[in-house]
PDB file of all heavy atoms in Angstrom:
ATOM      1  N   GLN A 589    -103.830  92.078 -63.306  1.00 78.00           N
ATOM      2  CA  GLN A 589    -103.084  92.789 -64.278  1.00 78.00           C
ATOM      3  C   GLN A 589    -102.294  91.859 -65.234  1.00 78.00           C
ATOM      4  O   GLN A 589    -102.234  92.098 -66.415  1.00 78.00           O
ATOM      5  CB  GLN A 589    -102.148  93.773 -63.641  1.00 78.00           C
ATOM      6  CG  GLN A 589    -102.835  94.998 -62.958  1.00 78.00           C
ATOM      7  CD  GLN A 589    -101.869  95.847 -62.118  1.00 78.00           C
ATOM      8  OE1 GLN A 589    -100.687  95.453 -61.966  1.00 78.00           O
ATOM      9  NE2 GLN A 589    -102.331  96.974 -61.673  1.00 78.00           N
ATOM     10  N   ARG A 706    -108.445  84.851 -73.170  1.00 88.00           N
ATOM     11  CA  ARG A 706    -108.258  85.187 -74.580  1.00 88.00           C
ATOM     12  C   ARG A 706    -109.033  86.400 -75.029  1.00 88.00           C
ATOM     13  O   ARG A 706    -108.532  87.246 -75.726  1.00 88.00           O
ATOM     14  CB  ARG A 706    -108.638  83.956 -75.447  1.00 88.00           C
ATOM     15  CG  ARG A 706    -108.657  84.214 -76.921  1.00 88.00           C
ATOM     16  CD  ARG A 706    -107.357  83.783 -77.530  1.00 88.00           C
ATOM     17  NE  ARG A 706    -107.236  84.198 -78.935  1.00 88.00           N
ATOM     18  CZ  ARG A 706    -107.243  83.406 -79.963  1.00 88.00           C
ATOM     19  NH1 ARG A 706    -107.388  82.089 -79.782  1.00 88.00           N
ATOM     20  NH2 ARG A 706    -107.097  83.874 -81.171  1.00 88.00           N
ATOM     21  N   VAL A 743    -148.753  66.889 -73.230  1.00 82.00           N
ATOM     22  CA  VAL A 743    -149.734  67.704 -72.546  1.00 82.00           C
ATOM     23  C   VAL A 743    -149.349  67.775 -71.072  1.00 82.00           C
ATOM     24  O   VAL A 743    -149.175  66.740 -70.461  1.00 82.00           O
ATOM     25  CB  VAL A 743    -151.143  67.069 -72.735  1.00 82.00           C
ATOM     26  CG1 VAL A 743    -152.167  67.991 -72.004  1.00 82.00           C
ATOM     27  CG2 VAL A 743    -151.464  66.933 -74.153  1.00 82.00           C
TER      28      VAL A 743
END
Side-chain angles (χ1 to χ4, degrees):
Q589 288 173 352
R706 173 94 191 250
V743 180

